[in-house]
Amino acid sequence: MATSDERGKVVNTLRDFLEYYEKLFPDDVVTIKTPVSLEYETTAYYNALKERNPVIRFTNIKGYPDFDLVTNILGSYRRMAFALRCNETELEGKWTELMRGDTEPDVIRKRRGYTLIQDNQVNLFALPVPKHYKQDGSKTGYGHYITSGLAITRNPDDSSVINLSFNRIQLIGETKYAFDAGSHGHMWKYLQKCRKKGERMQVTVVIGAHPLFYMLAASFIENEYRKACSFLKSSLVEGWLNDIPLPTGFEIALEAEVLLDESFDEGPFSEYTGYMGRDSTRNVAHVKSIILKKSPIYYDIQPSNSSEHVSLFSFPRNVAITTTISEFLPQGPVYRIIWPPSASHYLSLCYITDPEPGLAKQLGLAVLGLDPLFAKLCFVNQGAVDLTLENVLVNLARNGLEENPLIVDNVYCIKSNPTVDRNGTSSKIIIVTEGDNPEYTKTVEPDMVTLRTRYAKMVFSRKRVTGAKVNVILGKDVSLENTDEVAWSIATRVRPDKDIHLTQEGLVFEADKRVGEVPVIPPSVKRRIASTVTPRKPRWPQ
């Protein structure tokens, strides 16, 4: 286990971060040295190792001998904490402190160690961009997506304001990519301003920078460089063809301009919900240059509802919610909230110690109110408990049915929610339970998993089961034994006002309906890669 002094070592680049992290935590980094294809295989390796959840580094990419590829860097809070030079218990406080930082970064011209490729030498297909899932890009056949592109832009109305954001980037030609600018984010607003002015917008895409830049880009703020440089104490590097500075020690950069008079219907793409997303802003950019570090490391963020994808965009939101709750809810009780990454941020598990009457429900209301886009199902346990789905549901079966769940109908939410109405609303629910860590036995049968205490039982099953205080009904595509899959199914397939029923026997969750297209890896690839991997569990919490 790394000491505080070891964690506190300053590293300013992705390359240094990886080297130092592997030195301190060698069991949490898996290096794949056998030849790997970019057609689904990197994602197949991630899925085969998902339970263990390590950083994965590929050093032998077929057709790309000069590149390494790394994925799942920020797939755990422990690695996020390492990026902030602290441990997990200090992470929220360290992030809150960092968000108060405001330092004008130095921009230098020192560019040694890079190769500039421009004009007719630019070829995006020379980069090791994976195809992650079979349906990605199926509208047009262009299925290779850059998922870790930090899109860096200047505010057209105030060039001193620089923004970092994420785009999904689909390669559609040697010098062109299509991208989704998100909905109503800073880059989207900048694009609208440029359209009104009739000006092309410069954008530089960085692939492979210190992980802190990625965490900040997911924070929905502006001027992220001012916060990053106050923490890393590092400079920025001038751009080559664009008037946009880049993080020191970056691995790969694409200097581009958005073509405001062109559009391309990219997609679908495997989104954070665990389903295929079909919406797109249909933007197109022309790449003027590719800048490469020697022996570059290509950073890839696994799409769909991977731990890295969901944790990265939700972590800053989670800190803001928990900080606000601790400030405004009554002092005295201890509040604890987690969002299981597998549940796409739609499901939260909470506890409150020694609550006054009604305070547990108030905590649930606060979570729903502070997270209006994503929060849908909120479980609040009265009493400290290990916040696992099984513990919460067993406590619900034991003594949580006396008070009816609180369902709020027709509430605003993000339109990518699979249970959303056409008008952009869904229902949301607060369920209050009580008790400490429950003791229960677990019985596994072909179509049913039973968790039984002395006085009650809860069941995961394929159809309704009599005698169960809590019955979660799941589709055949979901493993009844895999609590990550169960949490995902409850979070994405249950609309509370229609799919949760309080009967005379107990509470029934109907989580078995299909609500979207699930991304798939070709079965032959999945089986072949899985046969080569031993998915050891980590020896420490993730």
Side-chain angles (χ1 to χ4, degrees), residues 169-195:
I169 294 172
Q170 182 189 48
L171 305 190
I172 61 173
E174 292 185 351
T175 62
K176 286 185 179 180
Y177 66 80
F179 68 99
D180 179 31
S183 177
H184 305 289
H186 290 106
M187 186 177 182
W188 186 85
K189 292 178 181 178
Y190 294 176
L191 282 168
Q192 309 320 307
K193 292 177 181 180
C194 286
R195 282 197 170 90

Short mmCIF file of all heavy atoms in Angstrom, two decimals, residues 169-195:
data_model
loop_
_atom_site.label_atom_id
_atom_site.label_comp_id
_atom_site.label_asym_id
_atom_site.label_seq_id
_atom_site.Cartn_x
_atom_site.Cartn_y
_atom_site.Cartn_z
N ILE A 169 -15.86 11.15 -31.19
CA ILE A 169 -15.28 11.56 -32.46
C ILE A 169 -15.20 10.36 -33.39
O ILE A 169 -14.51 9.38 -33.10
CB ILE A 169 -13.88 12.17 -32.24
CG1 ILE A 169 -14.01 13.48 -31.45
CG2 ILE A 169 -13.15 12.39 -33.55
CD1 ILE A 169 -12.68 14.07 -31.01
N GLN A 170 -15.89 10.43 -34.51
CA GLN A 170 -15.95 9.35 -35.48
C GLN A 170 -15.07 9.69 -36.69
O GLN A 170 -15.25 10.73 -37.32
CB GLN A 170 -17.40 9.13 -35.94
CG GLN A 170 -17.58 7.98 -36.91
CD GLN A 170 -18.99 7.98 -37.50
OE1 GLN A 170 -19.48 9.00 -37.95
NE2 GLN A 170 -19.64 6.82 -37.49
N LEU A 171 -14.11 8.82 -36.98
CA LEU A 171 -13.26 9.06 -38.13
C LEU A 171 -14.04 8.78 -39.42
O LEU A 171 -14.57 7.68 -39.60
CB LEU A 171 -12.03 8.15 -38.08
CG LEU A 171 -11.16 8.20 -36.81
CD1 LEU A 171 -9.87 7.44 -37.03
CD2 LEU A 171 -10.89 9.63 -36.37
N ILE A 172 -14.11 9.79 -40.30
CA ILE A 172 -14.87 9.62 -41.55
C ILE A 172 -14.01 9.90 -42.79
O ILE A 172 -14.51 9.85 -43.91
CB ILE A 172 -16.13 10.50 -41.58
CG1 ILE A 172 -15.77 11.98 -41.47
CG2 ILE A 172 -17.09 10.10 -40.46
CD1 ILE A 172 -16.95 12.93 -41.68
N GLY A 173 -12.75 10.18 -42.59
CA GLY A 173 -11.84 10.43 -43.70
C GLY A 173 -10.44 10.67 -43.18
O GLY A 173 -10.23 10.80 -41.97
N GLU A 174 -9.48 10.75 -44.07
CA GLU A 174 -8.11 10.96 -43.63
C GLU A 174 -7.93 12.28 -42.91
O GLU A 174 -7.09 12.40 -42.00
CB GLU A 174 -7.16 10.88 -44.83
CG GLU A 174 -7.06 9.48 -45.44
CD GLU A 174 -6.03 9.41 -46.55
OE1 GLU A 174 -5.53 10.49 -46.97
OE2 GLU A 174 -5.71 8.29 -47.00
N THR A 175 -8.70 13.29 -43.27
CA THR A 175 -8.55 14.61 -42.66
C THR A 175 -9.84 15.13 -42.03
O THR A 175 -9.91 16.30 -41.65
CB THR A 175 -8.07 15.64 -43.71
OG1 THR A 175 -9.06 15.76 -44.73
CG2 THR A 175 -6.74 15.24 -44.31
N LYS A 176 -10.86 14.28 -41.91
CA LYS A 176 -12.13 14.74 -41.35
C LYS A 176 -12.64 13.79 -40.28
O LYS A 176 -12.47 12.58 -40.37
CB LYS A 176 -13.20 14.86 -42.45
CG LYS A 176 -13.03 16.06 -43.36
CD LYS A 176 -14.21 16.16 -44.33
CE LYS A 176 -14.08 17.37 -45.24
NZ LYS A 176 -15.22 17.48 -46.18
N TYR A 177 -13.27 14.38 -39.28
CA TYR A 177 -14.00 13.57 -38.30
C TYR A 177 -15.36 14.21 -38.03
O TYR A 177 -15.53 15.43 -38.15
CB TYR A 177 -13.20 13.39 -37.01
CG TYR A 177 -12.95 14.63 -36.18
CD1 TYR A 177 -13.92 15.15 -35.32
CD2 TYR A 177 -11.70 15.28 -36.21
CE1 TYR A 177 -13.69 16.26 -34.53
CE2 TYR A 177 -11.46 16.39 -35.42
CZ TYR A 177 -12.45 16.88 -34.58
OH TYR A 177 -12.21 17.99 -33.80
N ALA A 178 -16.32 13.37 -37.72
CA ALA A 178 -17.63 13.84 -37.29
C ALA A 178 -17.69 13.73 -35.77
O ALA A 178 -17.03 12.86 -35.17
CB ALA A 178 -18.73 13.00 -37.93
N PHE A 179 -18.45 14.60 -35.14
CA PHE A 179 -18.50 14.57 -33.68
C PHE A 179 -19.84 15.06 -33.16
O PHE A 179 -20.56 15.80 -33.83
CB PHE A 179 -17.35 15.37 -33.07
CG PHE A 179 -17.42 16.87 -33.29
CD1 PHE A 179 -17.91 17.71 -32.30
CD2 PHE A 179 -16.98 17.45 -34.48
CE1 PHE A 179 -17.96 19.08 -32.47
CE2 PHE A 179 -17.02 18.81 -34.68
CZ PHE A 179 -17.51 19.64 -33.68
N ASP A 180 -20.12 14.63 -31.93
CA ASP A 180 -21.30 15.08 -31.22
C ASP A 180 -20.84 16.08 -30.17
O ASP A 180 -20.05 15.74 -29.28
CB ASP A 180 -22.00 13.89 -30.56
CG ASP A 180 -23.22 14.30 -29.77
OD1 ASP A 180 -23.87 15.29 -30.16
OD2 ASP A 180 -23.53 13.65 -28.75
N ALA A 181 -21.31 17.31 -30.27
CA ALA A 181 -20.89 18.37 -29.36
C ALA A 181 -21.70 18.40 -28.07
O ALA A 181 -21.58 19.34 -27.29
CB ALA A 181 -20.97 19.72 -30.06
N GLY A 182 -22.52 17.39 -27.85
CA GLY A 182 -23.33 17.39 -26.64
C GLY A 182 -24.50 18.34 -26.78
O GLY A 182 -24.70 18.98 -27.81
N SER A 183 -25.23 18.45 -25.73
CA SER A 183 -26.42 19.29 -25.76
C SER A 183 -26.29 20.41 -24.73
O SER A 183 -26.28 20.16 -23.53
CB SER A 183 -27.67 18.45 -25.45
OG SER A 183 -28.82 19.26 -25.41
N HIS A 184 -26.15 21.62 -25.24
CA HIS A 184 -26.17 22.82 -24.39
C HIS A 184 -24.96 22.93 -23.47
O HIS A 184 -25.00 23.65 -22.47
CB HIS A 184 -27.47 22.90 -23.58
CG HIS A 184 -28.70 22.82 -24.43
ND1 HIS A 184 -29.10 23.86 -25.25
CD2 HIS A 184 -29.59 21.82 -24.62
CE1 HIS A 184 -30.20 23.51 -25.90
NE2 HIS A 184 -30.52 22.28 -25.55
N GLY A 185 -23.85 22.25 -23.79
CA GLY A 185 -22.61 22.44 -23.06
C GLY A 185 -21.86 23.65 -23.60
O GLY A 185 -22.31 24.36 -24.51
N HIS A 186 -20.67 23.91 -23.04
CA HIS A 186 -19.93 25.10 -23.43
C HIS A 186 -19.52 25.05 -24.91
O HIS A 186 -19.65 26.06 -25.62
CB HIS A 186 -18.69 25.26 -22.54
CG HIS A 186 -19.02 25.64 -21.14
ND1 HIS A 186 -18.94 24.75 -20.10
CD2 HIS A 186 -19.48 26.80 -20.61
CE1 HIS A 186 -19.31 25.35 -18.98
NE2 HIS A 186 -19.64 26.59 -19.26
N MET A 187 -19.01 23.92 -25.38
CA MET A 187 -18.59 23.86 -26.77
C MET A 187 -19.79 24.04 -27.71
O MET A 187 -19.68 24.71 -28.75
CB MET A 187 -17.89 22.53 -27.06
CG MET A 187 -17.31 22.47 -28.46
SD MET A 187 -16.41 20.95 -28.78
CE MET A 187 -15.83 21.24 -30.45
N TRP A 188 -20.91 23.46 -27.36
CA TRP A 188 -22.12 23.63 -28.16
C TRP A 188 -22.50 25.10 -28.25
O TRP A 188 -22.85 25.61 -29.33
CB TRP A 188 -23.25 22.81 -27.53
CG TRP A 188 -24.52 22.78 -28.32
CD1 TRP A 188 -24.84 21.93 -29.34
CD2 TRP A 188 -25.65 23.65 -28.16
NE1 TRP A 188 -26.09 22.21 -29.82
CE2 TRP A 188 -26.61 23.26 -29.12
CE3 TRP A 188 -25.94 24.71 -27.31
CZ2 TRP A 188 -27.84 23.90 -29.23
CZ3 TRP A 188 -27.16 25.36 -27.42
CH2 TRP A 188 -28.10 24.95 -28.37
N LYS A 189 -22.39 25.82 -27.15
CA LYS A 189 -22.71 27.25 -27.14
C LYS A 189 -21.71 28.02 -28.00
O LYS A 189 -22.08 28.96 -28.72
CB LYS A 189 -22.71 27.78 -25.71
CG LYS A 189 -23.86 27.25 -24.87
CD LYS A 189 -23.79 27.77 -23.45
CE LYS A 189 -24.93 27.20 -22.60
NZ LYS A 189 -24.85 27.65 -21.19
N TYR A 190 -20.43 27.64 -27.91
CA TYR A 190 -19.42 28.31 -28.74
C TYR A 190 -19.73 28.12 -30.22
O TYR A 190 -19.56 29.04 -31.02
CB TYR A 190 -18.02 27.75 -28.44
CG TYR A 190 -17.48 28.02 -27.06
CD1 TYR A 190 -16.25 27.48 -26.66
CD2 TYR A 190 -18.17 28.80 -26.13
CE1 TYR A 190 -15.73 27.71 -25.41
CE2 TYR A 190 -17.66 29.03 -24.86
CZ TYR A 190 -16.43 28.48 -24.50
OH TYR A 190 -15.92 28.70 -23.26
N LEU A 191 -20.15 26.93 -30.59
CA LEU A 191 -20.49 26.66 -31.98
C LEU A 191 -21.63 27.55 -32.47
O LEU A 191 -21.61 28.06 -33.60
CB LEU A 191 -20.87 25.19 -32.16
CG LEU A 191 -19.73 24.18 -32.21
CD1 LEU A 191 -20.26 22.76 -32.10
CD2 LEU A 191 -18.96 24.35 -33.52
N GLN A 192 -22.63 27.75 -31.62
CA GLN A 192 -23.76 28.60 -32.01
C GLN A 192 -23.29 30.04 -32.21
O GLN A 192 -23.74 30.74 -33.14
CB GLN A 192 -24.87 28.55 -30.97
CG GLN A 192 -25.32 27.14 -30.57
CD GLN A 192 -25.41 26.17 -31.72
OE1 GLN A 192 -26.06 26.43 -32.74
NE2 GLN A 192 -24.73 25.04 -31.58
N LYS A 193 -22.37 30.49 -31.36
CA LYS A 193 -21.84 31.85 -31.50
C LYS A 193 -21.07 32.00 -32.81
O LYS A 193 -21.18 33.01 -33.51
CB LYS A 193 -20.94 32.18 -30.31
CG LYS A 193 -21.67 32.32 -28.99
CD LYS A 193 -20.68 32.58 -27.85
CE LYS A 193 -21.41 32.68 -26.51
NZ LYS A 193 -20.47 32.93 -25.38
N CYS A 194 -20.25 30.97 -33.15
CA CYS A 194 -19.47 31.03 -34.38
C CYS A 194 -20.38 31.01 -35.60
O CYS A 194 -20.11 31.68 -36.61
CB CYS A 194 -18.48 29.87 -34.44
SG CYS A 194 -17.06 30.07 -33.34
N ARG A 195 -21.46 30.25 -35.53
CA ARG A 195 -22.40 30.22 -36.65
C ARG A 195 -23.03 31.59 -36.88
O ARG A 195 -23.20 32.04 -38.02
CB ARG A 195 -23.48 29.17 -36.39
CG ARG A 195 -23.01 27.74 -36.64
CD ARG A 195 -24.19 26.78 -36.78
NE ARG A 195 -23.71 25.49 -37.24
CZ ARG A 195 -23.32 24.51 -36.45
NH1 ARG A 195 -23.37 24.68 -35.14
NH2 ARG A 195 -22.89 23.39 -36.97
#
